[in-house]
Amino acid sequence: MKNLFKLIILSLFSATMHGQGVDDARMNQILKSLKLDRADIKEEFCTEKKMPNAEDSYIIVIPVIQGKEEADFFTVRNYILITDKKGLIKNQYFDPAEITSDAIMLRDITIDTGLYNISANIRAFGVKVGFLGSSRPNPYSSEDLSLYYPEGKTLKKVLDQFRFETSRGEWDTQCAGEFTNEDSFITMDKSKTNSFTDLKVKTVSVTTVSKEVGGECESRETSETTYRSLKFINGKYQ
């Protein structure tokens, strides 16, 4: 039943799971530099994290509203920035990927500063985008990962919206149902392609089937582990 518990917990806390926040002084400087008003952005999803491998550097994500925003529907594109402590922009990238929040809602945007040492002297960082479904009988959540690294005054995007976590299910809201949870884990492989380290992806898929037996809710789990490799081809991992 752990998949069910995970989905219910996500549902309960979805209203507060947005981002890691941005220092207000840095935010003011960034908006001034980008010529944006606060009404132009989804401030609740703005997020920042100090860069562990660079002095006086902060990774900041600013979602900019695209088109008309409605009550339960909006689309954003992210500015991915590296700034100093004061908010002065060192690297600027306006991601072309559109993120839409509708029946599958945007849950949160977070920054991942793991050890993505993808090439000699290149350490990438990740931006994770989480989504959450609104149906209780058919719960759903997912999280995508994109990887970037500084290049000149901009950023290079080398992994585009890789789906590394998915939870979905169908149940009677009491007991009977089936749930599937897939979690992927990325490690640096020993092999290289075009001078970039291959990414080894381990995916663990767990399926839980629950039903009522003699007045009790019983569950049976099965799991499968698969491996794949992402190689750097034509400027991106695929």
Side-chain angles (χ1 to χ4, degrees), residues 17-151:
M17 295 175 66
H18 294 310
Q20 298 156 305
V22 178
D23 176 83
D24 199 54
R26 276 194 289 276
M27 175 69 85
N28 288 335
Q29 178 60 49
I30 290 166
L31 294 179
K32 181 180 177 181
S33 298
L34 297 178
K35 296 181 172 57
L36 292 172
D37 295 325
R38 289 184 183 259
D40 297 327
I41 67 174
K42 293 296 288 183
E43 192 167 359
E44 65 269 34
F45 292 101
C46 292
T47 183
E48 74 173 4
K49 193 170 186 181
K50 193 174 187 308
M51 243 179 143
N53 57 320
E55 187 177 352
D56 190 24
S57 294
Y58 295 79
I59 303 164
I60 298 178
V61 181
I62 307 291
V64 180
I65 300 167
Q66 304 296 293
K68 184 179 179 181
E69 181 182 9
E70 300 177 9
D72 298 315
F73 175 87
F74 62 86
T75 298
V76 296
R77 284 177 59 191
N78 287 334
Y79 268 113
I80 316 293
L81 310 169
I82 298 176
T83 80
D84 66 7
K85 186 176 182 179
K86 295 181 180 179
L88 296 175
I89 297 173
K90 301 178 179 182
N91 301 81
Q92 176 177 319
Y93 179 74
F94 194 39
D95 199 317
E98 290 192 339
I99 300 168
T100 297
S101 181
D102 47 25
I104 304 298
M105 302 176 292
L106 175 61
R107 184 185 77 221
D108 58 7
I109 298 175
T110 56
I111 296 166
D112 179 1
T113 55
L115 293 173
Y116 296 110
N117 296 312
I118 59 175
S119 187
N121 303 316
I122 295 179
R123 176 173 168 177
F125 64 87
V127 174
K128 296 178 178 179
V129 179
F131 296 91
L132 188 70
S134 56
S135 170
R136 182 169 173 79
N138 298 96
Y140 173 86
S141 71
S142 64
E143 197 160 26
D144 296 343
L145 171 70
S146 296
L147 292 179
Y148 309 81
Y149 71 85
E151 185 178 67

